[in-house]
Amino acid sequence: MKRTLCMLTLLLLLPVISLAEGAEKEILFRGIPWGSSIIQVVESLNQQGVSISKQSIKRDSLMDAWSLDFYHSYMESVDHAGCRIDVHSMNTPFSDDFRMGGYPVESIHAYCHYAYAADAVDRDDQHTQFYLVDAWIDATDEDAAYHDLKAKLTQLYGAPVEDVASQYTANHRSDTYYCVWYGAQDTAVCLHYGCSAYKEGNDWGQETKYVILTYGKQDNSLVELEQAIAREEADAAAGDLGGL
């Protein structure tokens, strides 16, 4: 849920706000070009010290990506839309020098959607297109890490276009902070920090804290891809009276 919230924050903001002043270069994740195939993303991460097994790559219904109608800020989940890489420090070796802003990484979730051409969905791994990734930071002091990473990203990309803090307290205390920086070619990075706890009787339970870096590139083809998938499902169901 937390990972999805960060992804949604970034994707919702991408089409709404123009590039920040001084954001003249494309923002990339670990130097991996947007539009790379799932195969190329795996190769690049392997070269950078992440051991990715075949079991780490999820396909079709396990895809947890999102699409936008960029003209009306309309959002829907996309099912059967592509490939996802899930790697976690508990079961995937990260080399000691694989760090982001000086911090070790707890997990990475990278998204490559299927290609769409000639009114058809192309599910070939070689033609998938990398457009979104988030990295969970493994920090002892999440609050300090958030402010440190915010200062470093500001040094790289200038002041954030979005700098938001929200708090909610009832039986569930939730503090959320995020900043967004924009780069060239409709790219962006979002830094997200959350702290939450549930009430147990008259006392608060243990706090859950997390820091996430999400990198993305606006991709209008997701809307057409979702429509093509819907047509495929309709065609497959046409004339099937089984179970009725």
Side-chain angles (χ1 to χ4, degrees):
M1 179 64 184
K2 298 162 189 168
R3 173 163 53 87
T4 301
L5 176 60
C6 191
M7 290 164 52
L8 297 186
T9 298
L10 181 64
L11 287 176
L12 278 170
L13 291 172
L14 265 171
V16 177
I17 304 172
S18 60
L19 294 177
E21 291 184 10
E24 299 175 350
K25 61 181 179 180
E26 190 176 21
I27 296 176
L28 301 174
F29 172 74
R30 309 286 299 189
I32 303 174
W34 299 114
S36 297
S37 70
I38 189 81
I39 298 171
Q40 293 169 324
V41 174
V42 169
E43 289 177 348
S44 180
L45 289 176
N46 280 335
Q47 292 170 1
Q48 296 186 48
V50 183
S51 298
I52 301 175
S53 66
K54 291 183 179 180
Q55 290 73 26
S56 298
I57 302 176
K58 319 296 182 184
R59 288 180 172 79
D60 293 334
S61 60
L62 295 176
M63 183 66 178
D64 186 22
W66 295 82
S67 71
L68 287 170
D69 177 337
F70 295 101
Y71 300 101
H72 303 97
S73 297
Y74 173 76
M75 179 180 59
E76 285 189 1
S77 61
V78 179
D79 296 323
H80 314 289
C83 303
R84 183 182 79 220
I85 302 170
D86 287 333
V87 290
H88 194 283
S89 58
M90 292 181 62
N91 49 37
T92 299
F94 285 83
S95 66
D96 291 339
D97 59 353
F98 189 91
R99 291 172 175 261
M100 299 193 67
Y103 298 93
V105 177
E106 178 182 316
S107 64
I108 291 174
H109 308 274
Y111 298 81
C112 297
H113 66 75
Y114 287 138
Y116 166 81
D119 201 35
V121 180
D122 182 352
R123 289 176 168 80
D124 190 327
D125 282 0
Q126 297 185 63
H127 301 152
T128 53
Q129 298 173 28
F130 177 48
Y131 75 101
L132 186 70
V133 60
D134 57 20
W136 290 59
I137 302 302
D138 187 5
T140 302
D141 186 335
E142 291 86 353
D143 183 74
Y146 171 78
H147 288 93
D148 181 43
L149 289 169
K150 179 179 177 180
K152 290 173 178 175
L153 288 166
T154 297
Q155 182 179 348
L156 287 172
Y157 304 116
V161 175
E162 291 287 315
D163 189 348
V164 178
S166 64
Q167 296 179 319
Y168 173 77
T169 303
N171 291 326
H172 178 203
R173 188 176 67 211
S174 178
D175 299 337
T176 300
Y177 306 86
Y178 68 84
C179 297
V180 180
W181 292 262
Y182 290 88
Q185 305 299 316
D186 294 324
T187 57
V189 56
C190 173
L191 173 65
H192 182 203
Y193 167 53
C195 175
S196 64
Y198 287 91
K199 206 162 191 178
E200 300 175 356
N202 294 323
D203 300 318
W204 291 100
Q206 184 176 357
E207 287 185 330
T208 299
K209 296 182 178 182
Y210 54 91
V211 177
I212 309 171
L213 278 166
T214 300
Y215 293 75
K217 177 178 175 61
Q218 179 179 326
D219 194 331
N220 295 326
S221 66
L222 286 173
V223 176
E224 294 180 338
L225 174 61
E226 183 177 33
Q227 294 170 350
I229 290 170
R231 286 193 294 271
E232 280 190 351
E233 293 175 347
D235 291 342
D240 188 347
L241 304 181
L244 300 177

